[in-house]
């Protein structure tokens, strides 16, 4: 979920600091409500125990039936692993190394990039910014910034260490932008829209579509059965792309059960977000997901949110997918209005 999706609140301590303080129990503000704790657990154990049951689909973008498989996954799951996506293993390893190197810096070096919601400084290094639906904090620190398009990014807020961070993330953003167009084209064809660029044009691409990066850093947690790295939510984006450091933690809700994402080599995870669900009139599903933590390993994920400009796009079901039998399920709203109404919990507002 993008950083702009949270409500301003007093700052919390860095979770990394708590993790390294040899705590045997976590502070009360990180303990999840009782109704959630029954289905929590250590992410490493959850992965080990997840061999049976439904699995998040794996889709090869080079396969002859990729349109069919991507469409099916977006309709039934709202999430998929994708392979042969066009981003090299070498670049993904560089992204992982750059992000890890930043979070390995001393705390005082990271604090030089601290964001400040009270002053409108969204981008930068931070921890929990606000009370959410549960009123509890999440077991993560993060770094957030826009990575594409180049003419809109603010390099002054990007890390200067490691020295190759900017070069690597600029290349990652450029490659992901190409991939975003490819995925939106496939999903347009899956809806049998008149042109393969229909969804992208509706989202104001290729010029104005934004890619927002949030590097999530989940330290070791002494009581993973009581905490969450990120609580259950759907993304407000059109699509979200997830790279991770091969430590498990992502879970998605499927048919009422939490399914742990496998570690698929050389893959990216793609989420359908709210914006795409609205445009497709609910044909594609915005996936409810959350992040578990564990006792033994630090987990890092790189979440890139593909978003329309805030006020230039009116999100509403496309005319092509609205029929007498399938009337519009969502009222028109700009991206900014959707963000505000959903995340600030406007009274009387529903997702539709």
């Amino acid at each position: 979920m993008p950083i702009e999706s949270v409500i301003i609140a007093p700052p919390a301590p860095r979770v990394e600091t708590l993790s390294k303080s040899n705590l045997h129990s976590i502070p009360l503000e990180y303990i999840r409500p009782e109704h959630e704790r029954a289905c929590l657990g250590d992410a490493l154990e959850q992965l080990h125990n997840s061999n049976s049951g439904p699995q998040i689909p794996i889709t090869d973008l080079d396969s002859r039936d990729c349109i069919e498989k991507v469409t099916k996954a977006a309709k039934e799951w709202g999430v998929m692993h994708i392979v042969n996506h066009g981003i090299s293993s070498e670049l993904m390893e560089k992204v992982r190394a750059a992000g890890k190197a930043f979070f390995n810096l001393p705390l005082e070096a990271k604090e030089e990039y601290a964001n400040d919601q009270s002053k409108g400084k969204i981008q930068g290094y931070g921890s929990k910014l606000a009370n959410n639906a549960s009123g509890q904090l999440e077991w993560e620190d993060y770094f957030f910034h826009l990575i594409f398009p180049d003419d809109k990014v603010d390099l002054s807020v990007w890390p200067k260490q490691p020295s190759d961070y900017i070069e690597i993330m600029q290349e990652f953003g450029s490659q992901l932008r190409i991939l975003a167009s490819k995925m939106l084209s496939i999903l347009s064809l899956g809806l049998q829209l008149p042109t393969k660029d229909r969804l992208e044009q509706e989202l104001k691409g290729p010029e104005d579509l934004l890619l927002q990066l949030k590097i999530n850093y989940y330290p070791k947690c002494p009581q993973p059965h009581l905490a969450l790295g990120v609580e259950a939510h759907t993304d407000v984006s059109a699509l979200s792309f997830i790279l991770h450091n091969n430590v498990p933690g992502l879970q998605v809700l499927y048919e009422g059960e939490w399914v742990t994402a496998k570690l698929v080599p050389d893959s990216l995870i793609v989420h359908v977000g709210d914006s795409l669900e609205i445009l497709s009139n609910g044909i594609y599903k915005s996936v409810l997901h959350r992040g578990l933590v564990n006792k033994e390993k630090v987990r890092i994920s790189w979440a890139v949110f593909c978003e329309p400009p805030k006020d230039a796009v009116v999100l509403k079901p496309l005319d092509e997918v609205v029929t007498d039998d399938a009337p519009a399920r969502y009222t028109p709203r700009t991206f900014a209005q959707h963000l505000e109404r959903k995340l600030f919990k406007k009274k009387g507002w529903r997702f539709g």
Side-chain angles (χ1 to χ4, degrees):
M1 178 180 291
I3 298 305
E4 293 159 296
S5 66
V6 292
I7 305 171
I8 298 170
R14 303 305 182 200
V15 179
E16 177 186 9
T17 302
L18 293 175
S19 178
K20 290 181 177 179
S21 65
N22 297 317
L23 289 174
H24 295 293
S25 58
I26 63 176
L28 289 175
E29 59 264 31
Y30 292 91
I31 296 177
R32 305 306 301 177
E34 185 175 357
H35 70 272
E36 288 185 22
R37 299 202 296 266
C39 60
L40 295 183
D42 187 291
L44 301 177
E45 295 175 2
Q46 294 283 345
L47 179 65
H48 179 75
N49 296 331
S50 66
N51 291 324
S52 60
Q55 303 293 330
I56 296 172
I58 301 173
T59 301
D60 183 345
L61 296 190
D62 278 350
S63 66
R64 298 176 67 179
D65 60 351
C66 80
I67 295 174
E68 177 185 344
K69 288 187 174 180
V70 167
T71 301
K72 180 178 174 65
K75 289 179 176 179
E76 297 180 2
W77 283 79
V79 63
M80 67 200 82
H81 301 274
I82 57 171
V83 296
N84 288 320
H85 40 66
I87 298 179
S88 70
S89 299
E90 291 78 12
L91 179 56
M92 291 194 293
E93 283 304 315
K94 288 180 180 179
V95 170
R96 291 184 179 110
K100 181 180 179 182
F102 173 78
F103 279 99
N104 282 344
L105 292 174
L107 181 61
E108 57 269 22
K110 294 194 287 282
E111 291 291 357
E112 293 179 9
Y113 301 94
N115 59 15
D116 188 343
Q117 284 279 322
S118 67
K119 296 179 180 178
K121 185 182 177 184
I122 303 295
Q123 301 187 80
Y125 172 64
S127 301
K128 185 63 186 179
L129 297 180
N131 290 334
N132 45 27
S134 70
Q136 298 304 101
L137 300 182
E138 297 164 332
W139 195 261
E140 71 153 342
D141 301 322
Y142 63 81
F143 199 102
F144 173 76
H145 63 84
L146 180 71
I147 61 169
F148 194 90
D150 292 338
D151 63 345
K152 292 183 173 66
V153 303
D154 180 1
L155 293 179
S156 70
V157 302
W158 292 32
K160 305 302 185 291
Q161 298 181 65
S163 60
D164 57 358
Y165 180 94
I166 291 177
E167 178 184 358
I168 290 169
M169 292 305 174
Q170 285 179 321
E171 177 63 17
F172 188 49
S174 296
Q175 293 297 314
L176 273 177
R177 185 61 187 84
I178 294 169
L179 178 58
S181 288
K182 183 172 184 176
M183 289 298 299
L184 289 170
S185 293
I186 292 170
L187 290 162
S188 290
L189 294 171
L191 292 175
Q192 299 182 327
L193 298 176
T195 60
K196 67 179 183 180
D197 65 349
R198 181 73 171 91
L199 284 172
E200 183 165 357
Q201 290 297 328
E202 194 69 21
L203 293 164
K204 294 301 180 188
E207 294 83 7
D208 295 325
L209 205 59
L210 304 177
L211 297 185
Q212 310 266 20
L213 169 67
K214 183 178 175 222
I215 308 176
N216 301 294
Y217 183 86
Y218 306 103
K220 300 174 188 177
C221 180
Q223 294 179 298
H225 58 290
L226 297 180
L228 278 172
V230 174
E231 73 173 17
H233 67 283
T234 62
D235 293 339
V236 294
S237 57
L239 294 172
S240 303
F241 297 93
I242 313 297
L243 176 69
H244 54 73
N245 66 334
N246 294 311
V247 175
L250 174 67
Q251 287 191 321
V252 303
L253 193 68
Y254 178 72
E255 296 184 346
E257 300 291 334
W258 288 105
V259 176
T260 301
K262 299 289 190 181
L263 304 178
V264 179
D266 296 323
S267 70
L268 292 170
I269 298 170
V270 182
H271 295 171
V272 172
D274 296 351
S275 297
L276 188 55
E277 177 173 323
I278 292 168
L279 293 178
S280 71
N281 202 31
I283 295 173
Y284 295 144
K285 310 299 183 189
S286 185
V287 62
L288 188 68
H289 56 285
R290 67 184 187 181
L292 300 184
V293 290
N294 73 86
K295 289 183 179 180
E296 299 176 24
K297 296 182 179 182
V298 171
R299 181 172 185 258
I300 308 176
S301 69
W302 291 256
V304 179
F305 306 101
C306 181
E307 300 177 355
K310 285 187 176 181
D311 297 307
V313 172
V314 175
L315 295 172
K316 62 179 181 178
L318 298 174
D319 291 341
E320 296 92 333
V321 296
V322 175
T323 66
D324 290 340
D325 294 330
R329 296 173 54 190
Y330 308 90
T331 57
R333 81 289 305 266
T334 65
F335 184 74
Q337 288 170 335
H338 179 71
L339 188 69
E340 181 182 14
R341 293 172 183 176
K342 176 183 178 181
L343 301 163
F344 284 72
K345 313 295 183 187
K346 288 282 186 176
K347 183 177 180 180
W349 181 84
R350 297 189 305 167
F351 182 72

